[in-house]
Amino acid sequence: MSNTADQIFETIPMQSLLERTGELRKQGHRLVQIGATRLPDHVELTYSFDRESRLTNLRFQILAEGARLPSISGIYW
């Protein structure tokens, strides 16, 4: 995890996405954006959440070929 003035970046395993997202929701964070960057063999995803003008970013990579990940729509519709 690294910090900048108004942001936190957490590198997480994809399997922790739903658990960590649920924790942030319970703490009062709002979903700001979901971004994706294509790398040669992977896709890097960043989920950004805001609370009191501070961003918490969850970041992980998945294989580009046949990529599947869990939906957070049950937490943030």
Side-chain angles (χ1 to χ4, degrees):
M1 179 170 26
S2 63
N3 292 323
T4 62
D6 296 313
Q7 294 191 68
I8 295 171
F9 288 87
E10 292 182 36
T11 302
I12 63 168
M14 182 191 62
Q15 296 80 359
S16 299
L17 177 64
L18 295 180
E19 178 183 355
R20 190 68 186 102
T21 298
E23 291 169 358
L24 292 171
R25 174 73 174 194
K26 288 177 186 173
Q27 294 169 4
H29 289 77
R30 67 183 182 95
L31 177 64
V32 177
Q33 68 89 35
I34 301 171
T37 302
R38 178 67 192 248
L39 302 171
D41 295 327
H42 294 80
V43 176
E44 181 177 82
L45 291 120
T46 303
Y47 288 62
S48 300
F49 303 87
D50 170 72
R51 181 171 171 238
E52 298 175 359
S53 299
R54 300 200 71 168
L55 288 177
T56 298
N57 302 282
L58 305 180
R59 185 171 284 169
F60 59 92
Q61 292 184 4
I62 58 174
L63 289 174
E65 186 71 29
R68 296 255 183 218
L69 65 145
S71 172
I72 65 166
S73 64
I75 302 168
Y76 287 95
W77 48 272

